[in-house]
Amino acid sequence: AQSDGKHYDGMLALGADLDLSAYAWEPIGQGTSILEKREYEIEGAIYEIDVHLYSHFGGTFSGEGHTITGMYVDGTIATEAGENSCESKTTYGGLFGVIYGEANITHLVIENSYVTSSGRSGAVVAYAAGASTEKRVMIDNCHSEATVSGQDRVAGIVGLITRGDIYWCFNYGRVYSSGSKCSVGGILATAEGADGAPIQVYNCVNAGDVYSPSGDNVGGIVGWSEWANVQSCANYGMVRGNEDVGGIIGQVNDSSHLTYGNVVDCVNYGDITGSGNHIGGVAGYVLVGRIVNSANFGKIKGYSDCVGGITGEHDENKNCKTVNCVSYGTVSGGSKYIGSVIGRNYDNKGTVGPVYYKKGGPNAAGTKNGSSDSVKNVTAFSFNTPDSTLQSNLNGWSGFESYNA
């Protein structure tokens, strides 16, 4: 590995298990602001310009399947009374604070560890930022049993990612946020993609409890996403939050309106609870996006409105879709917009169906005065056991018809 004291690159690999219990760990690449002078050629002339850079890790780190234990990270900074904790001073909590460029963190296990921060927190990486559409960061095959807490963008694996991907990662640790209106996720708190450079979260599993009593955008896999796809992921942990709470994802926001914002082939087994609006077994709130070929088996409970077995609410957009999904868990909520599949399909503009749900609770789509299967743009079927309607209409669990989003 190479280091100038500010940035680290090259290749690092663990040769054995590593016990950090004797140390107070300082994240690799702490995001410290560094002012440097750089020369730039502009129209044939050379100019010296002050540039703000941030210390980061830009290389490849392979755990080689080894385990790091006893890691203790404390990046907390006291906030002023009444200050929104999500906008407090930025600190980074994790094995890595900031990774950048084409950095890759791979084949790593973290156990018996604790991470906390006033800012972004993730057991593996707090903030992962690719340099461009082509030069992306990657976190893959990382497992964590660490307890992670914080106030802003808190997750079991990665706090915030831009221009990068997360593959085959597993979290078994507890994730907790005391922040208000902050993103929290079992795997990833915030995915901030861009047109042509969507974030990919693929084949990830969360089995840890995710808890943010006053936080919004809380998900078993991802808290909040824009320009991102979540595919083939599963949540087994309990998820609790305030508003926009989902078994897989808290809020889906696809700015392209057409290309990204997909949650595909995902399943939730955990119990999901929210005190505010938009609580769903798979997705809490879909502003623009598609929930496809996904299922919920957990208990979904909201204390307000817009609660659904699959999706809490579609926003007022025709590009919101919940299709080829199955809701098998129980659903309960406040006084209106409570449905076994979707809580509210705003102004009936989105598409819901075909979808399937177990009888015994509310009908497929929530309404202002109850629930119904006979709602515009909703195609729903109910069943008593998974084998009945599922087998006749879906040709078995593995026979979901493909859906071109």
Side-chain angles (χ1 to χ4, degrees):
Q2 297 176 343
S3 170
D4 58 6
K6 306 165 187 176
H7 315 302
Y8 304 83
D9 55 23
M11 298 187 66
L12 292 172
L14 282 182
D17 293 346
L18 183 61
D19 183 357
L20 297 176
S21 58
Y23 308 93
W25 182 255
E26 294 185 0
I28 302 169
Q30 297 183 52
T32 307
S33 178
I34 302 166
L35 182 63
E36 291 188 352
K37 292 185 180 296
R38 295 287 181 93
E39 290 185 349
Y40 292 90
E41 181 178 349
I42 303 176
E43 296 182 351
I46 302 297
Y47 296 88
E48 191 175 71
I49 299 174
D50 289 338
V51 177
H52 279 279
L53 302 174
Y54 296 89
S55 61
H56 63 263
F57 178 81
T60 296
F61 180 91
S62 175
E64 300 293 309
H66 294 298
T67 299
I68 292 177
T69 59
M71 181 177 69
Y72 178 81
V73 181
D74 186 352
T76 56
I77 296 177
T79 57
E80 299 291 336
E83 183 179 357
N84 184 344
S85 59
C86 289
E87 298 175 356
S88 62
K89 287 186 177 181
T90 299
T91 62
Y92 302 96
L95 178 65
F96 292 85
V98 178
I99 67 172
Y100 179 75
E102 295 181 275
N104 177 208
I105 314 300
T106 182
H107 289 88
L108 175 67
V109 180
I110 298 176
E111 294 180 350
N112 299 322
S113 298
Y114 178 78
V115 175
T116 186
S117 170
S118 298
R120 298 154 189 170
S121 301
V124 179
V125 180
Y127 179 28
S132 66
T133 301
E134 294 78 20
K135 297 180 178 180
R136 303 167 64 83
V137 294
M138 180 183 294
I139 299 92
D140 70 281
N141 287 282
C142 292
H143 297 202
S144 174
E145 294 185 14
T147 296
V148 182
S149 68
Q151 297 177 346
D152 177 19
R153 300 177 175 90
V154 183
I157 302 295
V158 179
L160 167 65
I161 189 170
T162 63
R163 296 182 298 276
D165 306 301
I166 301 175
Y167 297 115
W168 294 98
C169 288
F170 299 81
N171 175 61
Y172 302 92
R174 184 173 186 263
V175 178
Y176 173 80
S177 173
S178 58
S180 174
K181 299 185 181 300
C182 302
S183 301
V184 185
I187 299 295
L188 169 65
T190 299
E192 291 185 358
D195 193 7
I199 306 299
Q200 305 289 345
V201 180
Y202 179 74
N203 265 14
C204 294
V205 175
N206 174 63
D209 291 341
V210 180
Y211 182 40
S212 181
S214 58
D216 299 347
N217 308 318
V218 182
I221 300 296
V222 179
W224 183 92
S225 74
E226 185 172 39
W227 305 87
N229 294 319
V230 181
Q231 185 173 358
S232 300
C233 294
N235 174 62
Y236 294 85
M238 176 192 71
V239 180
R240 292 186 179 180
N242 178 36
E243 192 162 287
D244 300 355
V245 181
I248 299 298
I249 190 166
Q251 184 183 120
V252 181
N253 186 10
D254 169 22
S255 296
S256 74
H257 296 264
L258 291 173
T259 311
Y260 313 122
N262 294 312
V263 177
V264 182
D265 298 336
C266 293
V267 59
N268 172 63
Y269 295 97
D271 293 344
I272 314 301
T273 305
S275 54
N277 296 326
H278 313 142
I279 315 302
V282 174
Y285 191 21
V286 180
L287 276 80
V288 182
R290 291 146 297 277
I291 313 301
V292 182
N293 289 2
S294 296
N296 169 60
F297 292 87
K299 296 178 181 178
I300 313 305
K301 184 174 180 58
Y303 289 90
S304 191
D305 302 328
C306 305
V307 182
I310 299 295
T311 304
E313 179 172 358
H314 281 171
D315 196 28
E316 186 182 4
N317 193 296
K318 66 179 181 180
N319 291 313
C320 292
K321 301 175 188 282
T322 296
V323 296
N324 291 341
C325 293
V326 177
S327 177
Y328 195 76
T330 61
V331 179
S332 62
S335 60
K336 56 185 178 180
Y337 300 113
I338 314 300
S340 282
V341 175
I342 186 167
R344 186 181 191 186
N345 186 25
Y346 198 96
D347 280 352
N348 300 320
K349 290 189 176 181
T351 300
V352 181
V355 291
Y356 306 84
Y357 69 95
K358 183 183 177 182
K359 291 180 179 178
N363 292 316
T367 65
K368 190 173 183 179
N369 300 312
S371 63
S372 175
D373 289 348
S374 302
V375 179
K376 182 181 177 182
N377 290 331
V378 173
T379 304
F381 304 91
S382 61
F383 59 88
N384 290 312
T385 64
D387 294 333
S388 57
T389 299
L390 287 180
Q391 186 161 355
S392 61
N393 287 283
L394 295 174
N395 190 27
W397 179 258
S398 62
F400 276 108
E401 61 182 284
S402 61
Y403 175 75
N404 185 356

